[in-house]
Amino acid sequence: MQQGGMNKEEKQYLDYEDNNPALSKIIERNIRTIIRLRLQAANKRNLQDRIADAITSFSGHIVFVYVHIVWFGAWIILNTGRIGVHPFDPFPYGLLTMVVSLEAIFLSTFVLISQNRLSEESEYRTNLNLQIALLTEHEVTRVLQMLDAIQDKMEINNDEDSELADLEMETKPEDVLTEIERLQQLALKRKKPNKRNHR
């Protein structure tokens, strides 16, 4: 595994001596690779992304709620005029409403920025999973074809009723997607007459 250009934090996660005896080396290598990729993605974030993530992370904790309870409570108490402070935002608290509205606008924007970045990372991982799944399917199909050829060469009887012939056919993703779409359209067409009959 290449470790050039890694910072101390990445090396700390990846270069520990204690291996888990319950896990195989391949699983440990895969776990470390996933952690390395996540750390690299986190390090690629620019300043705006880091700020958006920090604000989104803070706003998702209960401390954020407590801060607002204290803030709103103090604002309302100060503006009652009962504690010797002249009300600067008397009921119905127009200034507080405006500040909270602005906070909601910025907070929702920061959340969307973080979600967009996470969505891009998720799409990247989905594409990787799809490529690996397609490669695995191709390899398994090829192995089945080779086993069938070995079976024929050794003159071992092949069960013709088995699903082996279907499994040996190479699966094309576009054909699978077309079939899924066709079956979904058929299911939707069957539901429509049922809805009309209930009316």
Side-chain angles (χ1 to χ4, degrees):
M1 181 169 53
Q2 292 180 347
Q3 294 181 354
M6 286 190 201
N7 60 27
K8 288 180 183 179
E9 184 182 356
E10 289 174 329
K11 287 184 179 180
Q12 188 178 17
Y13 277 105
L14 300 174
D15 291 339
Y16 59 89
E17 294 294 325
D18 300 331
N19 289 331
N20 187 339
L23 298 177
S24 71
K25 291 185 189 245
I26 294 171
I27 293 173
E28 285 192 0
R29 185 192 68 203
N30 291 342
I31 291 170
R32 290 177 185 170
T33 301
I34 290 167
I35 292 171
R36 181 174 50 81
L37 291 173
R38 285 183 181 166
L39 288 170
Q40 284 176 351
N43 288 335
K44 284 181 184 175
R45 295 176 302 167
N46 58 30
L47 180 62
Q48 291 91 342
D49 288 338
R50 291 175 193 271
I51 291 170
D53 288 346
I55 292 170
T56 302
S57 177
F58 175 68
S59 65
H61 287 84
I62 194 69
V63 176
F64 186 75
V65 176
Y66 293 149
V67 167
H68 280 75
I69 290 171
V70 171
W71 172 27
F72 295 153
W75 191 286
I76 291 168
I77 290 168
L78 285 172
N79 284 289
T80 59
R82 295 183 182 168
I83 59 169
V85 177
H86 181 70
F88 57 89
D89 186 27
F91 184 81
Y93 315 114
L95 180 59
L96 177 64
T97 304
M98 184 190 74
V99 170
V100 170
S101 297
L102 286 172
E103 180 193 28
I105 290 168
F106 283 110
L107 191 59
S108 61
T109 303
F110 287 129
V111 169
L112 287 172
I113 290 169
S114 291
Q115 283 183 341
N116 285 341
R117 187 182 56 75
L118 291 173
S119 177
E120 287 174 8
E121 288 179 16
S122 177
E123 187 176 346
Y124 173 77
R125 283 194 291 269
T126 301
N127 286 335
L128 177 63
N129 288 338
L130 176 61
Q131 292 300 322
I132 291 170
L134 290 172
L135 180 62
T136 302
E137 192 280 331
H138 178 73
E139 289 171 345
V140 169
T141 301
R142 186 74 183 115
V143 166
L144 287 173
Q145 290 170 347
M146 288 168 58
L147 286 173
D148 195 33
I150 291 169
Q151 194 175 17
D152 290 344
K153 185 119 181 151
M154 296 179 72
E155 298 179 355
I156 298 172
N157 288 336
N158 196 353
D159 185 6
E160 293 181 7
D161 295 333
S162 72
E163 297 176 346
L164 185 60
D166 288 339
L167 293 173
E168 286 178 359
M169 290 175 51
E170 189 166 347
T171 305
K172 295 180 180 175
E174 58 272 17
D175 293 343
V176 175
L177 289 172
T178 303
E179 183 63 10
I180 290 170
E181 196 172 316
R182 185 184 71 81
L183 292 175
Q184 284 177 340
Q185 293 297 328
L186 282 173
L188 288 173
K189 286 178 184 176
R190 288 181 187 158
K191 277 187 176 181
K192 287 179 182 176
N194 291 340
K195 286 181 181 177
R196 288 175 189 161
N197 293 338
H198 287 301
R199 288 181 182 172

